[in-house]
Amino acid sequence: MAYLKELKVTFTRRRVDDDLLNKPVESPRQVYELFREMQDETKEKVIVLHLNPQLEVLSYEVAAIGTGRGALIEPVEIFRNAILARATTIIVVHNDPSGHCQPSAPDIETAERLHALGELHQLLLQDFIIIGDGEFYSFSEHSRF
């Protein structure tokens, strides 16, 4: 006898201020305000926001949790649930436990790779945001793509 696996997707809810969520994502600062508590994490965490064509947040997921030095970001992990959520755009957010928000060489390489793959699959990477101590770095604000 063979078995067929059923995919079950479950959602949990996270309370946020109404004025942060009930409108389109218009700026990296708005995303930073939603996830600023990540600056206190001792391990690197990668979050993916799934957006609709109007840039409203459909959902988000914790795509990876790493160590104090980094997290393994696999593109398939980034795009899989975004496709299931019927997102047209994504924003990737991660913290740097050291408190610095300037992108490292691996950050730049990962963001460029995700951007290229997003264009290929028509699931665009709108931004790649790094959260540090009381500050953030946005690839879109710095015209990285």
Side-chain angles (χ1 to χ4, degrees):
M1 173 180 265
Y3 290 93
L4 179 63
K5 294 180 184 178
E6 177 185 2
L7 176 65
K8 293 183 179 182
V9 178
T10 60
F11 295 97
T12 56
R13 298 181 187 270
R14 178 176 178 265
R15 182 173 288 278
V16 296
D17 292 335
D18 290 342
D19 60 336
L20 292 175
L21 195 58
N22 292 332
K23 60 183 180 181
V25 174
E26 297 174 347
S27 72
R29 175 149 304 276
Q30 184 180 354
V31 175
Y32 169 72
E33 294 297 332
L34 279 170
F35 294 100
R36 74 180 319 149
E37 80 281 350
M38 287 175 60
Q39 69 188 355
D40 300 323
E41 298 279 342
T42 58
K43 295 180 179 180
E44 190 167 312
K45 184 187 284 186
V46 180
I47 290 180
V48 181
L49 291 170
H50 308 135
L51 308 173
N52 68 15
Q54 292 76 36
L55 300 181
E56 298 166 336
V57 178
L58 297 169
S59 59
Y60 80 95
E61 70 168 315
V62 177
I65 297 176
T67 66
R69 295 184 179 183
L72 178 62
I73 301 175
E74 290 290 336
V76 68
E77 298 298 325
I78 300 296
F79 289 107
R80 177 189 304 127
N81 287 336
I83 291 167
L84 290 174
R86 297 183 185 264
T88 57
T89 306
I90 60 172
I91 297 175
V92 176
V93 183
H94 85 84
N95 64 315
D96 188 333
S98 72
H100 302 290
C101 65
Q102 290 300 313
S104 64
D107 288 333
I108 294 168
E109 180 183 323
T110 299
E112 289 174 350
R113 184 174 177 205
L114 291 173
H115 186 262
L117 288 169
E119 286 184 334
L120 179 68
H121 295 292
Q122 296 180 344
L123 181 56
L124 300 179
L125 175 63
Q126 179 178 330
D127 206 347
F128 190 93
I129 298 172
I130 304 168
I131 295 178
D133 286 339
E135 59 185 350
F136 67 95
Y137 182 94
S138 161
F139 276 61
S140 69
E141 278 187 346
H142 290 88
S143 302
R144 291 276 189 169
F145 42 72

